[in-house]
Amino acid sequence: TTIPVLTIDGPSGSGKGTISRAVADRLGWHYLDSGAIYRAVGLAAAWESIDLSDPDAVAACAARTEIRFESDDAGEPRVIVNGKDATHQLRMETAGAAASAIAAHPPVRTALLDLQKRFRRAPGLVADGRDMGTVIFPDAGYKVFLTASAEERAKRRYKQLKDKGVSVNLDSLLHEIAARDERDAGRAVAPLKPALDAVLLDSTGMPITEVIERVLAVLPDSL
Ligand code: C5P
């Protein structure tokens, strides 16, 4: 029998991270934050002063970057990049922009394929990203494409960053996120788009608890 996978793809600020974590928790499944992987590679490349527009140099960096997902004593997720706790830095929109830049290079995506596929472990996996249902786990039994209006996504991201103590300007955040989504949707390789067999879910104005219930409703009761 194959290990079940639920993919949750969508643009930034759609609530994928929060929803995917909550759903994985409820199911007792593993969780893959693929965006954090691209962010970590962007950061590692920046640390090594690698030209982010050089596909092969970034792909080589991706292959040697060590990324560990851990939890701290309070159970909060931490991301360790080459031995350094990069959790805070990875959340900044500069890391998001760097991720989006390097994520457009085909050799970088290829270098990160196995790492992502290895997250598929018993009893199951919730995979969060842009191409989880289309490229990484096309055979996943359950697929959701989560969206929300651009304005609501920018506001959520703004609140998220503010709660984490990062100072941001809502207007510039709106522009940065719109630019990133446009690049993610317009790129030639693994563009942001719903898998043909994905359930589309627009969470605009929907409380988180309801989004979680709707995602869980995509799964059979037997799980
Ligand atoms: O989801 P998150 O905002 O952390 O992702 C950061 C960036 O990483 C995205 O804007 C996208 O360019 C890239 N990404 C990707 N494929 C994924 C996940 C993220 O290209 N599966």
Side-chain angles (χ1 to χ4, degrees):
T1 60
T2 56
I3 296 164
V5 179
L6 164 65
T7 62
I8 304 184
D9 289 307
S12 51
S14 56
K16 283 176 299 135
T18 308
I19 302 302
S20 304
R21 272 200 180 83
V23 169
D25 241 40
R26 285 270 284 269
L27 295 166
W29 286 9
H30 298 281
Y31 169 59
L32 165 60
D33 178 0
S34 62
I37 293 178
Y38 286 95
R39 284 169 185 258
V41 171
L43 188 64
W47 282 344
E48 294 178 32
S49 307
I50 288 167
D51 176 3
L52 299 190
S53 69
D54 181 339
D56 294 327
V58 180
C61 173
R64 65 175 174 261
T65 300
E66 202 215 346
I67 308 163
R68 285 202 321 267
F69 292 91
E70 297 181 352
S71 300
D72 64 16
D73 297 336
E76 292 299 312
R78 318 290 318 175
V79 188
I80 316 297
V81 183
N82 290 335
K84 266 182 275 193
D85 186 340
T87 312
H88 186 72
Q89 245 181 308
L90 288 179
R91 284 198 190 104
M92 314 276 210
E93 187 47 35
T94 45
S100 171
I102 60 115
H105 304 317
V108 173
R109 305 198 72 87
T110 305
L112 296 172
L113 271 175
D114 284 346
L115 169 64
Q116 296 176 86
K117 290 188 178 182
R118 282 202 301 273
F119 277 78
R120 187 175 197 163
R121 281 180 284 126
L125 174 68
V126 178
D128 156 358
R130 303 291 184 292
D131 64 340
M132 297 296 100
T134 51
V135 177
I136 308 296
F137 303 109
D139 64 329
Y142 319 104
K143 300 181 184 180
V144 171
F145 193 83
L146 194 62
T147 56
S149 72
E151 211 194 343
E152 179 147 334
R153 293 189 287 109
K155 281 192 186 146
R156 282 185 196 161
R157 213 46 184 238
Y158 177 72
K159 191 176 172 298
Q160 229 174 37
L161 288 168
K162 250 183 80 177
D163 289 350
K164 307 257 158 55
V166 182
S167 78
V168 271
N169 171 288
L170 180 59
D171 238 36
S172 54
L173 191 66
L174 225 165
H175 281 101
E176 284 162 8
I177 287 179
R180 183 147 67 91
D181 287 341
E182 207 170 303
R183 174 157 51 185
D184 290 347
R187 69 188 175 207
V189 59
L192 168 68
K193 66 158 190 239
L196 288 174
D197 50 350
V199 173
L200 305 186
L201 182 54
D202 184 341
S203 68
T204 310
M206 208 184 270
I208 287 178
T209 48
E210 188 181 339
V211 185
I212 294 170
E213 290 313 317
R214 296 232 190 170
V215 171
L216 285 167
V218 168
L219 303 163
D221 291 336
S222 54
L223 281 173

